[in-house]
Amino acid sequence: QVQLVESGGGLVQAGGSLRLSCAASIRIFRINVMGWYRQAPGKQRELVASISRTGNTNYGDSVRGRFTISRDFAEYAMYLQMNSLQPEDTAVYYCNAEVGQTGYWGQGTQVTVSS
């Protein structure tokens, strides 16, 4: 069982920045892929960004160039630096980890961007 705990969400004005953190209960190198997803009210959950064990990154079209995903092996953590936030970025952001054939989710953290 892998536990993931997100933090860092909050309320920010358009153009501002936030940094999300995801703390994992196991060593990061054991995780195949880690990612951030988000879900806005009435919409499907979508990929924001992901990072593989080897460091390959992938970003959703709407966040590329504004968001940066990273991880810290020593801290068992993954981060999402979000810059130039816009109201359409408002959503619950979830941390995801794929370990073997199993995917795990955190409980989510709310990000609200005011115009």
Side-chain angles (χ1 to χ4, degrees):
Q1 188 76 11
V2 177
Q3 295 181 334
L4 304 169
V5 179
E6 302 98 333
S7 61
L11 174 63
V12 64
Q13 289 188 334
S17 298
L18 283 175
R19 187 190 193 214
L20 304 184
S21 299
C22 172
S25 62
I26 64 171
R27 292 184 179 271
I28 299 297
F29 73 80
R30 293 181 55 192
I31 301 173
N32 298 332
V33 180
M34 295 190 77
W36 289 98
Y37 289 74
R38 68 185 182 187
Q39 187 165 20
K43 295 187 177 181
Q44 290 187 332
R45 190 171 296 190
E46 64 174 355
L47 173 70
V48 176
S50 65
I51 185 166
S52 72
R53 181 188 296 149
T54 57
N56 292 325
T57 58
N58 183 41
Y59 293 92
D61 290 340
S62 62
V63 307
R64 191 174 291 112
R66 300 187 297 124
F67 292 9
T68 303
I69 190 171
S70 62
R71 73 261 167 98
D72 186 327
F73 288 102
E75 295 294 329
Y76 295 29
M78 176 181 65
Y79 307 100
L80 185 69
Q81 178 66 43
M82 305 187 294
N83 299 328
S84 301
L85 284 161
Q86 300 301 317
E88 52 265 35
D89 294 317
T90 295
V92 178
Y93 284 70
Y94 297 91
C95 175
N96 174 267
E98 296 181 9
V99 181
Q101 302 298 316
T102 304
Y104 298 90
W105 294 91
Q107 82 288 350
T109 185
Q110 176 70 47
V111 171
T112 302
V113 184
S114 63
S115 57

